[in-house]
Amino acid sequence: MSETPPGPPPPGPLPLREEEPVPTWTRDFLRVLGFTLFGALFFTFFIWLASTGLMYQRNMTDRIEADGLWAGIIAGVFALLFPFLFMEYKRKDDGFRREGLVPLILLSVVASAVTVTLVALVWPFFLGERAVPGTVATELNSDPASFFLVLLFFIGGMAWSTCMMMPMMIGGFKVALWLLLPFLGFVFLIGFAGVRVFDNPPSLLTTMIWVAVTLTGLAVLTVLAMLRNVIDKSTPQMTAAEREADYQRYLEDRRRRGLTNENPLPGIDGPQQPPRR
């Protein structure tokens, strides 16, 4: 029986994943903003639903109260999920551009934080008297200090969340495994931070802390975005021309060995004998 040399098993050049066109920078930016607005309205719906008394915990006996605690949890979850707005698994870059990522991700974080904060201005109307008077949750739409603190929370939270998730998304399994424990710790911290911000009065100390968190988060995110192509998972791919050339070498090797339809050799490439009865 003849042996077929190793080569591309399917005949003809195949379309590559990397041949899929990468959208424009503007399209990516508008896409993130659109998803951000939808997500902000979606989570606002849960604020409203809790205010109606129709949301229950898992035991289906204890209601979820629409108060500052619930608003802080919702804000933390949104900041945590923000990096997933970039993900597009069908693209060769997984949604994180290899060109122009730094301005895209920085502007997306700031613009998305502004969008969510503006939508959150309606939260105090849903919380009503359930939230503690004087806290950020109740003063968000009337106190500039509360508004500025919430804006800092979203910018800093989204920036650090992206710092945690982006390397895991584009670095492959090994990078995700190394960052798994820090990410689990971050999940707890962002939820705790959201509750601390929304369920307490604004203060100068808290604001200064979040200024530092925001600036360091944006700085680290900038560095990671600049190193995007360095931490990318190693998946060597051939271009269409390289695949075509490799396929032609494969066919030439088969012709040299006589493994062609015009002159088949006995074996797997030759005519098959009917089974004997």
Side-chain angles (χ1 to χ4, degrees):
M1 181 178 294
S2 62
E3 296 182 357
T4 304
L14 296 177
L16 294 178
R17 181 173 169 229
E18 71 168 6
E19 292 179 344
E20 296 182 3
V22 176
T24 63
W25 189 97
T26 304
R27 181 266 185 189
D28 278 346
F29 179 69
L30 294 178
R31 173 180 174 274
V32 173
L33 285 187
F35 281 143
T36 298
L37 178 59
F38 174 80
L41 296 175
F42 178 77
F43 281 104
T44 300
F45 168 77
F46 286 101
I47 298 287
W48 169 81
L49 189 61
S51 69
T52 63
L54 298 177
M55 287 194 69
Y56 291 85
Q57 300 182 14
R58 289 187 176 182
N59 55 19
M60 298 304 294
T61 57
D62 298 330
R63 290 182 178 178
I64 296 178
E65 295 293 336
D67 51 14
L69 176 66
W70 180 239
I73 293 175
I74 290 294
V77 171
F78 189 92
L80 179 67
L81 297 180
F82 173 74
F84 291 95
L85 302 183
F86 288 88
M87 284 299 297
E88 288 190 78
Y89 287 104
K90 293 184 179 180
R91 282 171 49 173
K92 64 178 182 179
D93 55 9
D94 294 320
F96 294 90
R97 306 177 63 86
R98 292 190 172 93
E99 299 291 338
L101 181 61
V102 174
L104 172 66
I105 208 163
L106 292 180
L107 288 176
S108 296
V109 166
V110 175
S112 296
V114 172
T115 301
V116 179
T117 305
L118 291 176
V119 174
L121 291 178
V122 302
W123 292 5
F125 296 109
F126 298 141
L127 300 179
E129 298 179 353
R130 302 176 186 86
V132 178
T135 60
V136 172
T138 57
E139 304 294 333
L140 176 59
N141 55 4
S142 59
D143 180 24
S146 297
F147 179 87
F148 183 62
L149 180 57
V150 171
L151 178 61
L152 289 175
F153 168 78
F154 279 120
I155 296 177
M158 291 176 179
W160 278 109
S161 180
T162 308
C163 290
M164 295 297 302
M165 291 300 301
M166 184 174 68
M168 300 175 70
M169 292 175 174
I170 66 178
F173 173 76
K174 293 182 179 180
V175 176
L177 189 62
W178 277 102
L179 294 178
L180 180 59
L181 287 180
F183 173 73
L184 294 178
F186 177 78
V187 172
F188 170 78
L189 286 177
I190 193 65
F192 176 78
V195 172
R196 292 289 298 176
V197 167
F198 278 82
D199 206 27
N200 287 279
S203 66
L204 179 61
L205 177 61
T206 304
T207 302
M208 295 305 297
I209 291 175
W210 277 102
V211 167
V213 170
T214 299
L215 294 179
T216 55
L218 293 176
V220 174
L221 184 58
T222 302
V223 174
L224 290 177
M226 294 174 62
L227 298 176
R228 184 256 179 272
N229 295 330
V230 177
I231 61 178
D232 199 359
K233 54 181 176 291
S234 57
T235 53
Q237 299 177 350
M238 292 186 297
T239 64
E242 291 173 339
R243 183 179 286 271
E244 175 67 23
D246 187 69
Y247 177 67
Q248 292 300 327
R249 288 193 297 268
Y250 169 74
L251 292 180
E252 184 62 29
D253 190 34
R254 287 180 60 86
R255 295 190 189 97
R256 180 178 57 82
R257 298 169 64 91
L259 303 177
T260 62
N261 293 331
E262 293 80 8
N263 185 26
L265 293 178
I268 60 174
D269 289 84
Q272 303 295 320
Q273 298 294 331
R276 296 180 180 178
R277 296 183 179 180

